[in-house]
Amino acid sequence: MSNLTLSQYLEQQNGNLTPELAQVIETIAETCKTIDQALQKGALAGILGSAGNENVQGETQKKLDVISNDYLIDALKVHPQVGGLASEELDDFTPAQENGKYLVLFDPLDGSSNIDINMCVGTIFSILPAKNAVTQSADFMQAGTEQVAAGYVLYGPSTMLALTVGAGVVFFTLDPNSQTFLLTTENVQVSADTQEFAINASNQRHWENPVKRYIDELLAGKTSVREKDFNMRWVACMVGDIHRILCRSGIFLYPYDLKDPKKAGRLRLMYEANPMSMLIEQAGGASTTGRVRIMEIQPTELHQRVPVIIGSKNEVQRVTSYHS
């Protein structure tokens, strides 16, 4: 463990880091501390439960979804280096500052159905270069390969920040006494092989045959072609599932299914799939839809959905090969 603070780390010239990008990341981290404090109060603050309306995705918003979204919008739209914002919770993008160098996209509270049962939730963010002095919605339509930084804050037993600026993945842990993010793990690596998988098995009847084949092999364990037993884990919060993979490898699947053939997948390309793909790839893992590399997809709309198969490289490649 290092005593390096997030601020000190961001002063280094790693990857895509510039002083301006560092300022944006610091603002996101500071805002996430505020979200963390609201979460810590939980029922005491009267912030649990439904907000009584749906977001643009047609999902019931929790009070803390709305609060977290407001915190991030308020902090970033006045930031001199931010040209525009996009949130999973809002229909359209939010204009910010003229000549801002970066666009920020975020899922303010991933896994918010976990809030009311006191389980882990998180904030996911993606940072893209701004294309114009005044941001237009078309400026957000950049493939994941264009991201200059990505990360998440996990609100769990300890509050952690996972970050990549294109030079590997690092973990910071929030010191509850000093309220400072301290570097706790450098050069996070996802091993190519694993014996853990995560998938929402309740959708099994809707899966395509390649996914059924793959999961059947894992469930058969030593008695199948895999010749080893697997464990299933499912947090119902992408931040929690990806954090587990970054800590001890694994594969996470939210594949295309036939329940609603008009929806390509459940997870959002811009707010979830791209930032998580950047983190996993920077740690040596892989991320595909089952057919194409996620970070090479050219977005066509702000709230585009995609299937996600992500994690240990050999497992992701195996499922992907079944699709072809």
Side-chain angles (χ1 to χ4, degrees):
M1 178 180 149
S2 148
N3 283 322
L4 208 63
T5 66
L6 175 63
S7 299
Q8 290 166 336
Y9 175 84
L10 294 173
E11 287 169 4
Q12 301 173 7
Q13 296 304 301
N14 289 334
N16 302 313
L17 274 176
T18 61
E20 294 84 3
L21 179 58
Q23 290 167 25
V24 175
I25 294 169
E26 281 220 67
T27 297
I28 294 169
E30 285 299 315
T31 308
C32 288
K33 289 182 198 175
T34 308
I35 296 170
D36 181 57
Q37 286 167 357
L39 281 162
Q40 297 295 332
K41 290 177 185 170
L44 301 174
I47 51 172
L48 302 188
S50 168
N53 47 302
E54 291 185 344
N55 66 10
V56 63
Q57 318 294 337
E59 298 160 341
T60 300
Q61 285 182 312
K62 300 291 186 179
K63 290 176 187 173
L64 260 171
D65 279 331
V66 178
I67 292 167
S68 304
N69 187 66
D70 289 347
Y71 284 157
L72 285 160
I73 294 279
D74 290 348
L76 290 166
K77 75 180 179 186
V78 297
H79 196 293
Q81 305 303 337
V82 176
L85 309 165
S87 166
E88 183 183 309
E89 298 296 326
L90 298 177
D91 232 327
D92 210 347
F93 81 98
T94 301
Q97 302 299 303
E98 274 192 41
N99 298 307
K101 290 192 173 182
Y102 299 102
L103 308 177
V104 183
L105 302 98
F106 52 85
D107 179 349
L109 210 61
D110 175 65
S112 55
S113 62
N114 279 346
I115 297 167
D116 294 347
I117 57 167
N118 202 25
M119 293 251 304
C120 74
V121 290
T123 297
I124 309 172
F125 62 90
S126 165
I127 303 177
L128 291 165
K131 294 295 187 186
N132 292 293
V134 177
T135 297
Q136 311 295 321
S137 59
D139 298 344
F140 288 90
M141 299 301 122
Q142 301 180 49
T145 50
E146 298 297 307
Q147 294 173 106
V148 292
Y152 60 77
V153 172
L154 171 68
Y155 311 106
S158 60
T159 300
M160 296 187 71
L161 165 67
L163 176 68
T164 181
V165 291
V169 177
V170 288
F171 287 160
F172 296 84
T173 302
L174 183 63
D175 178 346
N177 296 322
S178 67
Q179 282 295 298
T180 304
F181 277 109
L182 299 174
L183 183 66
T184 42
T185 312
E186 294 185 80
N187 192 29
V188 174
Q189 289 292 307
V190 175
S191 56
D193 296 298
T194 185
Q195 286 180 256
E196 287 190 343
F197 69 101
I199 192 165
N200 184 350
S202 67
N203 290 326
Q204 185 168 1
R205 68 194 183 281
H206 303 296
W207 296 339
E208 292 184 294
N209 286 330
V211 173
K212 285 181 179 173
R213 173 187 171 186
Y214 176 70
I215 298 298
D216 283 347
E217 285 179 4
L218 303 192
L219 294 175
K222 283 181 179 171
T223 65
S224 79
V225 293
R226 302 311 306 275
E227 298 181 332
K228 64 178 180 180
D229 289 332
F230 287 77
N231 286 325
M232 189 177 112
R233 299 285 182 262
W234 183 253
V235 181
C237 164
M238 192 184 189
V239 169
D241 280 308
I242 296 300
H243 189 71
R244 184 186 59 252
I245 291 171
L246 286 170
C247 288
R248 63 185 198 206
S249 77
I251 181 170
F252 170 91
L253 304 93
Y254 219 124
Y256 175 75
D257 67 45
L258 304 169
K259 184 163 60 177
D260 185 350
K262 293 192 288 292
K263 281 185 184 169
R266 168 134 172 87
L267 298 176
R268 267 62 57 153
L269 174 63
M270 312 285 275
Y271 312 107
E272 296 163 322
N274 271 340
M276 293 307 203
S277 296
M278 185 178 184
L279 283 163
I280 290 287
E281 286 193 12
Q282 283 287 320
S287 179
T288 76
T289 64
R291 292 173 169 85
V292 296
R293 181 185 174 210
I294 283 175
M295 289 217 297
E296 290 178 356
I297 296 172
Q298 175 58 47
T300 54
E301 54 181 294
L302 214 45
H303 297 291
Q304 187 169 340
R305 295 174 188 253
V306 290
V308 173
I309 297 168
I310 187 170
S312 295
K313 186 175 281 184
N314 290 344
E315 294 300 317
V316 173
Q317 288 175 346
R318 189 178 190 107
V319 196
T320 303
S321 74
Y322 290 176
H323 284 78
S324 59

